[in-house]
Amino acid sequence: MSDTSPPSASTVRTAQVSGGSGAIRASGTPPRGRGVLETAFALLNALRSRGGEAGLTEIATACRVPKATAHRLLDQLARAGAVERRGDRYAVGPQLFRLGHSWQPYPGLRAAAQNPLHRLCFLTGASTVLTVLRDGLALTVASVPGRAEPLVPVRNGMSFPLDTAAGQALTRRSHGPVLDREEVMEGVSCAALPISAADGRTVAALAALVPAGQRLGPLAAAVAAASASITSRLAHMPREPGPLFPGLRTGNGPAFR
């Protein structure tokens, strides 16, 4: 059974993270074999959906497993570095951070998008997100919070439905900008464009979210420039793993937030 309900219209329209976990028996006892892994991932997903940290009772209740089962699996995950203890609470561990950052939806995509995302936020004040199509949703794989943050907090791992500007940019055939003037969420406007690979396939979408009232013409032009920059960088990215954020300053000079 999922520890979170399927994303409803109100859930996705406020840009909350969607997701679920594997099935667990109604009795609360995980099935043997693969069910143990499913339960472990359910515990990890419960941590993720609660901001990365929660107590044993909260986690066990969310996953509908006995506290003893949750405690045993969490201790095993802690020994593997996937979870860490913080007093009487559990938190996502460093090993999950490393594994998560090693996932590449398309070779070089996140590295190619990093600087253009920050520059787009700096120039427009928009919250910027890079999304890919996964499980019928637009999954955020890179993001920079901007002025729309109080209305739509953007986080890596959150998902948008396909009727949003980001979702439409991922799925429609046209390569022009998709504009949203409070059509999905009151108080928020958006401009989005697809990101193409060298063979012309759409591999991602770039979206900029702003408070309603900001002119979308200049915003769309800035998104188009950032999209073109990502596409160009992507075409020249080495296939071997490299620095996650190439080109960012690491000294004491000014840097984007």
Side-chain angles (χ1 to χ4, degrees):
M1 181 174 182
S2 171
D3 71 320
T4 56
S5 59
S8 63
S10 60
T11 299
V12 292
R13 289 182 191 282
T14 54
Q16 292 180 343
V17 178
S18 66
S21 58
I24 297 174
R25 290 178 180 173
S27 64
T29 303
R32 295 182 179 181
R34 190 175 63 179
V36 175
L37 291 177
E38 292 174 344
T39 305
F41 273 94
L43 299 176
L44 294 171
N45 196 49
L47 280 175
R48 177 198 60 79
S49 64
R50 283 155 183 80
E53 182 176 327
L56 176 61
T57 300
E58 184 180 1
I59 298 169
T61 300
C63 298
R64 299 192 179 183
V65 297
K67 287 177 64 174
T69 299
H71 184 269
R72 174 174 56 82
L73 290 176
L74 286 168
D75 279 354
Q76 292 176 3
L77 290 168
R79 288 194 293 272
V83 166
E84 61 184 15
R85 291 288 299 268
R86 295 180 181 175
D88 60 352
R89 296 172 69 80
Y90 293 88
V92 171
Q95 184 65 3
L96 280 188
F97 176 83
R98 298 185 188 101
L99 290 172
H101 278 278
S102 69
W103 178 66
Q104 292 292 336
Y106 185 84
L109 176 63
R110 291 167 59 198
Q114 193 65 26
N115 281 355
L117 275 173
H118 281 80
R119 180 170 176 78
L120 179 60
C121 175
F122 177 77
L123 292 175
T124 65
S127 295
T128 57
V129 297
L130 182 75
T131 65
V132 297
L133 186 62
R134 285 296 185 278
D135 300 323
L137 293 168
L139 172 66
T140 301
V141 295
S143 60
V144 182
R147 292 196 296 115
E149 179 71 6
L151 298 170
V152 184
V154 297
R155 301 288 184 273
N156 295 349
M158 67 187 293
S159 293
F160 295 92
L162 297 185
D163 64 351
T164 59
Q168 292 182 53
L170 279 171
T171 57
R172 74 177 197 175
R173 295 183 181 275
S174 171
H175 287 271
V178 180
L179 304 181
D180 171 12
R181 294 179 173 86
E182 299 186 84
E183 295 166 13
V184 172
M185 183 176 182
E186 184 177 356
V188 177
S189 296
C190 181
L193 274 164
I195 305 295
S196 299
D199 60 5
R201 288 183 298 130
T202 295
V203 295
L206 174 64
L209 297 88
V210 295
Q214 184 165 333
R215 294 175 57 199
L216 292 190
L219 180 66
V223 172
S227 175
S229 177
I230 296 172
T231 297
S232 175
R233 289 166 179 255
L234 195 58
H236 296 90
M237 273 285 168
R239 292 297 176 176
E240 294 76 16
L244 184 59
F245 305 143
L248 286 184
R249 294 191 177 191
T250 55
N252 297 321
F256 296 118
R257 67 183 178 90

